[in-house]
């Protein structure tokens, strides 16, 4: 095993002394790396990964650290690789509706870059501005507008990555009509950096909506609150997002509409009428819920979401997405929910001995085989993914 002092000495000429960072700022689930580096380009990232691969060391790549709480406790953690130094626009073609950026760019900076052409990459605008492109992709981060904008897998058309042996490869391309070979982008997105370090991404862009409106309604029951947005979708209303929460004994539905001015105006009238049919009344937008120690993502069929959230403890905070079949639940300790769930964030002490991704999927052995192929020495984030991969 390479000693910490010599590890830093050996990495210094690879990344440059100015790109060494205090290791204490990169703790993951209570585990501190032996050294932290912040490469300024993809080639240096690859050099660091090759160094780790050759010496039997491990790496956890990270950007803005807004989603670093997701995942199991790492079994080993030697080098933190901070990608925030890779923050440039590589290529932007507004006419082609595509943009290529480095993985360390924040989502806020990405929005500013595309806003000049009245466009946007379809990441949910409610995601934190401090989150980076690479981190959001690695965590497959999403918010309430996923129902209309889609998930990252839907609008990511190309990635440049560094695999566990330090090989720089590309998946997909920089044009929308790209159908050659396997779609490896979908494999890397959501893998928490355990298959490869994302250094660059190409996205489809969308025009910004011409009009937006936000409405909120109060209901006596979760069933009625969840039924309204599903019915609104069936009627073709311009629903961008819909979130159901609980406030005391009432259930609140927070809806955002987006589209052309005429379509939004029509949808506002239709939605009000639909809410009244279900016993809903106009309400102020829900207050931001307090942060809890544990955040769990609960999965259910859209038709069952209302029943699942209605049965949750009274002190739990809830943000349910009835059209997606998902709810985020906040609590002071992990809950026995009785349905498939993932712990998205909780203190490291609560993770000890716990599989945060729930029951192992049927595809676990296939996932292990893929990990062995792309990262045979287990360099990248060992133990953090499903089943301790």
């Amino acid at each position: 095993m390479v000693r910490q002092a010599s590890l830093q000495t050996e990495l210094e000429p690879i990344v440059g002394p100015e790109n060494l960072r205090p290791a204490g700022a990169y703790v993951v689930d209570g585990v501190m790396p032996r050294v932290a580096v912040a490469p300024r380009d993809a080639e240096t990232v690859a050099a660091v990964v090759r160094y780790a691969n050759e010496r039997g060391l491990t790496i956890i790549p990270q950007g803005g650290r807004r989603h670093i709480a997701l995942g199991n406790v790492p079994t080993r953690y030697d080098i933190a690789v901070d990608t925030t130094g890779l923050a440039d626009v590589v290529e932007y073609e507004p006419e082609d509706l595509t943009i290529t950026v480095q993985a360390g760019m924040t989502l806020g900076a990405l929005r500013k870059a595309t806003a000049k052409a009245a466009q946007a990459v379809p990441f949910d605008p409610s995601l934190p501005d401090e989150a980076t492109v690479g981190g959001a992709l690695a965590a497959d981060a999403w918010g309430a507008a996923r129902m209309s904008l889609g998930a990252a897998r839907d609008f990511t058309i190309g990635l440049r990555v560094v695999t566990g042996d330090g090989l720089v490869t590309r998946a997909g391309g920089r044009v929308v009509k790209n159908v050659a070979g396997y779609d490896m982008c979908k494999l890397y997105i959501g893998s928490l950096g355990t298959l490869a370090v994302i250094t660059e991404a190409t996205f489809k862009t969308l025009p910004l909506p011409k009009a937006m409106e936000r409405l909120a309604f109060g209901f006596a029951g979760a069933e009625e609150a969840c039924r309204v947005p599903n019915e609104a979708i069936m009627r073709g209303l311009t629903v961008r997002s819909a979130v159901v929460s609980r406030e005391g004994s009432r259930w609140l539905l927070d809806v955002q509409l987006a589209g052309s001015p005429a379509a939004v105006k029509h949808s506002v009238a239709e939605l009000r009428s639909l809410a009244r049919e279900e016993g809903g009344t106009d309400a102020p937008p829900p207050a931001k819920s307090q942060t809890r120690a544990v955040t769990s993502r609960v999965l259910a069929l859209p038709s069952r979401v209302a029943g699942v959230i209605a049965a949750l403890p009274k002190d739990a905070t809830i943000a349910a997405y009835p059209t997606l079949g998902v709810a985020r639940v906040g609590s002071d300790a992990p809950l026995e929910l009785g349905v498939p769930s993932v712990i998205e964030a909780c203190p490291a002490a609560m993770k000890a001995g716990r599989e945060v991704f729930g029951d192992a999927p049927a595809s676990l052995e296939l996932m292990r085989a893929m990990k062995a192929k792309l990262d045979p020495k287990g360099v990248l984030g060992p133990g953090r993914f499903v089943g301790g991969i």
Side-chain angles (χ1 to χ4, degrees):
M1 177 65 69
V2 182
R3 291 181 302 171
Q4 182 170 350
S6 60
L7 176 57
Q8 184 162 317
T9 300
E10 291 179 10
L11 280 170
E12 185 172 314
I14 296 176
V15 301
E18 71 281 6
N19 294 319
L20 295 173
R21 296 290 184 269
Y26 296 90
V27 172
V28 176
D29 288 329
V31 183
M32 187 172 76
R34 296 164 61 197
V35 66
V37 297
R40 309 296 295 183
D41 54 59
E43 290 69 28
T44 306
V45 172
V48 173
V49 176
R50 283 194 297 270
Y51 170 86
N53 185 69
E54 292 166 0
R55 286 160 178 76
L57 302 172
T58 61
I59 286 173
I60 295 183
Q62 50 208 278
R65 293 176 56 88
R66 292 308 301 256
H67 306 103
I68 201 68
L70 179 61
N72 293 310
V73 177
T75 54
R76 280 185 61 200
Y77 183 17
D78 297 308
I79 305 172
V81 174
D82 182 336
T83 62
T84 55
L86 287 70
D88 292 334
V89 174
V90 178
E91 183 178 20
Y92 183 25
E93 297 294 343
E95 297 81 6
D96 295 336
L97 299 177
T98 61
I99 187 170
T100 301
V101 300
Q102 292 181 313
M105 173 174 280
T106 66
L107 297 185
L110 177 60
R111 291 189 195 109
K112 289 179 181 178
T114 55
K116 298 174 183 177
Q119 295 177 356
V121 176
F123 280 111
D124 191 307
S126 67
L127 292 175
D129 281 350
E130 299 85 358
T132 59
V133 165
L137 292 175
D140 193 19
W142 57 272
R146 176 178 175 174
M147 61 173 289
S148 58
L149 300 179
R153 289 183 173 90
D154 302 317
F155 54 81
T156 303
I157 60 177
L159 292 175
R160 189 185 187 199
V161 304
V162 179
T163 55
D165 55 3
L167 181 65
V168 180
T169 66
R170 288 190 181 275
R174 294 185 180 179
V175 293
V176 174
K177 293 184 178 180
N178 184 13
V179 295
Y182 295 106
D183 189 355
M184 296 291 287
C185 294
K186 290 183 171 62
L187 185 68
Y188 297 131
I189 294 171
S191 65
L192 294 185
T194 60
L195 295 179
V197 183
I198 298 172
T199 61
E200 183 181 293
T202 300
F203 303 113
K204 293 183 288 187
T205 62
L206 295 176
L208 291 171
K210 299 293 185 182
M212 297 182 71
E213 281 286 347
R214 184 181 181 186
L215 302 173
F217 306 98
F219 297 88
E223 190 70 41
E224 297 89 335
C226 289
R227 190 157 47 230
V228 169
N230 284 311
E231 178 62 26
I233 294 298
M234 294 292 292
R235 295 188 185 185
L237 304 188
T238 60
V239 180
R240 183 183 180 91
S241 66
V243 185
V244 172
S245 59
R246 184 170 58 192
E247 193 170 277
S249 61
R250 299 269 293 169
W251 292 88
L252 298 180
L253 171 63
D254 185 11
V255 180
Q256 190 174 64
L257 305 166
S260 69
V264 169
K265 182 178 180 180
H266 168 76
S267 294
V268 166
E270 279 281 309
L271 189 63
R272 289 189 187 281
S273 175
L274 181 57
R276 285 196 294 270
E277 291 173 11
E278 295 290 343
T281 57
D282 288 348
K288 186 176 181 180
S289 61
Q290 66 184 93
T291 301
R292 305 295 288 275
V294 180
T295 301
S296 301
R297 184 170 73 235
V298 180
L299 312 176
L301 292 172
S303 59
R304 294 192 58 204
V305 169
V308 169
I309 62 176
L312 290 171
K314 295 297 183 182
D315 63 340
T317 59
I318 299 169
Y321 312 95
T323 62
L324 296 174
V326 183
R328 284 195 168 102
V329 180
S331 57
D332 294 326
L335 299 173
E336 296 298 329
L337 299 167
V339 292
S341 61
V342 173
I343 295 177
E344 292 189 320
C346 75
M350 292 183 184
K351 285 188 179 182
R354 184 185 296 271
E355 170 57 57
V356 301
F357 294 100
D359 295 336
S363 59
L364 182 59
E365 290 310 309
L366 180 61
M367 296 166 69
R368 291 189 190 281
M370 187 60 67
K371 170 71 171 177
K373 186 71 173 179
L374 294 172
D375 184 19
K377 292 187 178 180
V379 171
L380 300 174
R384 297 196 72 217
F385 201 49
V386 178
I389 293 178

